[in-house]
Amino acid sequence: MKKLTTFLLVLISAGQLYSQDAKFGVKGGLNYAYIHGSDVTDVNPSFTYHAGALLKIGFTDFVALQPEFLFSVKGTDADNYSVDLNYLDLPILLKVKLGDLFSLHAGPQLSYLLSTNEDGSIGVKFEEQIKNFDLGVAGGLELEMESGLSIGARYSFSVESIGTDYDQEIVDPNDATKKISQKVETPD
């Protein structure tokens, strides 16, 4: 974790030194999250939230790097059981503007499991079945207004199983989160 933090700080610092534009912002929004896999059945999505900070480092007028630090609640609901997985998400997104208002963003996301909250029982403690680290991919579309307010939608998923006791095919990731966010950046 210490090496990752150092790497992210160096990356952000280097980007600030050579960037044309750097903006700090805060963001928050809704998660539509679910866990699925070959041994996970009869579950429903969980509507939760995320909140945190970001730094948008502009390299040109159309391309930027945007690392984010988000507290994100993911999980799933079933008829007599629900679980919330509380993560620290660290997406590092490449943003490309599409005209004056819209931008696409995509990149890797590292997530660290902070805690779990379980309601009900499935015979095992869910917390003992989940890996602490999760590597994922995120991508989405954002509407950016001149005021600094943005509204966007993002889809993120794990590239490998988040469970410790079974293997899962990469094409069938077992954690996915759709995010709808609002963010506010410092004005020009």
Side-chain angles (χ1 to χ4, degrees):
M1 185 69 175
K2 191 174 184 180
K3 289 180 182 180
L4 174 65
T5 304
T6 303
F7 171 74
L8 290 174
L9 290 174
V10 168
L11 180 68
I12 291 169
S13 298
Q16 285 182 324
L17 291 174
Y18 296 106
S19 72
Q20 166 183 8
D21 183 26
K23 293 182 181 178
F24 173 78
V26 295
K27 71 181 298 182
L30 300 174
N31 287 349
Y32 173 81
Y34 57 94
I35 297 173
H36 64 89
S38 60
D39 62 344
V40 180
T41 59
D42 297 326
V43 295
N44 300 311
S46 178
F47 292 94
T48 57
Y49 66 93
H50 64 276
L54 62 94
L55 180 65
K56 185 168 84 174
I57 304 163
F59 295 113
T60 70
D61 289 340
F62 299 101
V63 178
L65 184 68
Q66 182 170 296
E68 299 177 355
F69 302 91
L70 305 172
F71 174 78
S72 185
V73 181
K74 305 172 189 179
T76 199
D77 289 319
D79 290 336
N80 57 357
Y81 181 78
S82 68
V83 63
D84 288 335
L85 306 174
N86 302 315
Y87 279 97
L88 174 61
D89 286 341
L90 303 169
I92 300 175
L93 306 170
L94 181 66
K95 294 186 71 168
V96 178
K97 285 192 67 96
L98 305 173
D100 292 334
L101 295 176
F102 291 97
S103 67
L104 287 174
H105 54 269
Q109 175 173 291
L110 180 63
S111 299
Y112 177 72
L113 181 65
L114 299 170
S115 64
T116 63
N117 296 320
E118 299 179 60
D119 185 19
S121 177
I122 56 173
V124 295
K125 288 201 54 79
F126 202 85
E127 182 175 24
E128 296 170 357
Q129 306 298 314
I130 301 296
K131 295 177 185 174
N132 287 334
F133 286 97
D134 176 36
L135 178 61
V137 176
L141 179 69
E142 193 169 66
L143 169 67
E144 299 176 336
M145 295 171 251
E146 269 187 52
S147 65
L149 181 66
S150 296
I151 299 172
R154 179 181 303 166
Y155 183 79
S156 63
F157 63 93
S158 300
V159 296
E160 58 183 30
S161 174
I162 64 170
T164 59
D165 67 339
Y166 57 91
D167 291 324
Q168 193 76 13
E169 295 292 323
I170 289 177
V171 296
D172 187 19
N174 66 348
D175 176 47
T177 305
K178 296 177 181 102
K179 295 181 179 184
I180 298 175
S181 301
Q182 280 193 323
K183 73 175 183 186
V184 178
E185 297 176 347
T186 54
D188 291 333

